[in-house]
Amino acid sequence: TYVNGTCTACGAAQPADVTFELVTDASKLAADTELLIVGVKDGAYYSLKAYESGNNCKADAITAPVDGKITLAGDATYTVVKLGGATGAWTLYDGAKYLYAAGTTKNNYLKGAADATAGTAQWTIAIAEGGVATIKCVDSATTRNWMRFNLNNPNPPVFSCYASGQTDIYLYAAAAAEPPVTCEHTNV
């Protein structure tokens, strides 16, 4: 067994893998849920990267799911998006900024802001069969309000907001902590 991250028998470090499970029911979402926002391109999986600058959020390549779960190594590059607010007015915090639909009627933008007070930083989330997530900004004046994955963008692909088109996205929620891992040997 492991105590404080160290095997009690051999001193080995406990693996730091993190597991995320495909969200298949929006009613299971709650404030403080930690999410990966995921898109797929040619069988490769990408998660939304924290907003840095420009008009979109870039994507990081991640491990493909197995049985609806994505397991990432502790040193993997990925961004956890923390869900805030409540049903009908969710907020999406990327660890530094709140994501918002920034492109009113002409531009396909997804940016980050210091706070989530504007309607463009509040979202509805619906989950369809197969885990396809529909994330839309609640601000009715913003017609480019549908968060999507743009796999046609040059490397890397991006996540942004559109009126239509592009590719489906999926939400993966951080799994509950696993019970302690047991080593393959007998403790002394």
Side-chain angles (χ1 to χ4, degrees):
T1 56
Y2 291 91
V3 174
N4 296 325
T6 304
C7 175
T8 57
C10 65
Q14 183 174 3
D17 294 353
V18 180
T19 300
F20 295 84
E21 297 177 6
L22 179 64
V23 175
T24 58
D25 182 353
S27 71
K28 305 280 187 201
L29 295 173
D32 296 326
T33 300
E34 294 182 334
L35 301 168
L36 293 179
I37 299 176
V38 175
V40 183
K41 177 182 181 180
D42 299 329
Y45 284 72
Y46 294 86
S47 67
L48 178 139
K49 188 174 180 180
Y51 176 77
E52 296 169 342
S53 63
N55 298 321
N56 308 297
C57 290
K58 294 178 180 164
D60 278 325
I62 58 169
T63 306
V66 175
D67 296 327
K69 295 180 181 179
I70 294 175
T71 300
L72 301 172
D75 60 354
T77 302
Y78 61 94
T79 297
V80 171
V81 175
K82 193 170 202 174
L83 194 61
T87 301
W90 294 113
T91 60
L92 302 168
Y93 185 69
D94 71 7
K97 297 192 182 278
Y98 290 92
L99 301 176
Y100 73 100
T104 62
T105 60
K106 294 183 181 180
N107 301 309
N108 299 317
Y109 295 162
L110 176 63
K111 296 184 178 187
D115 63 57
T117 56
T120 55
Q122 296 173 6
W123 307 86
T124 61
I125 299 175
I127 306 294
E129 188 173 334
V132 174
T134 300
I135 303 175
K136 288 193 171 184
C137 149
V138 300
D139 184 350
S140 61
T142 304
T143 58
R144 295 175 187 262
N145 64 348
W146 188 12
M147 190 184 299
R148 303 287 281 163
F149 181 62
N150 184 343
L151 58 85
N152 295 316
N153 196 66
N155 293 324
V158 298
F159 291 84
S160 200
C161 290
Y162 301 89
S164 63
Q166 302 309 320
T167 305
D168 292 332
I169 58 177
Y170 303 85
L171 297 178
Y172 285 79
E178 297 288 326
V181 178
T182 304
C183 292
E184 297 291 324
H185 52 77
T186 304
N187 286 335
V188 182

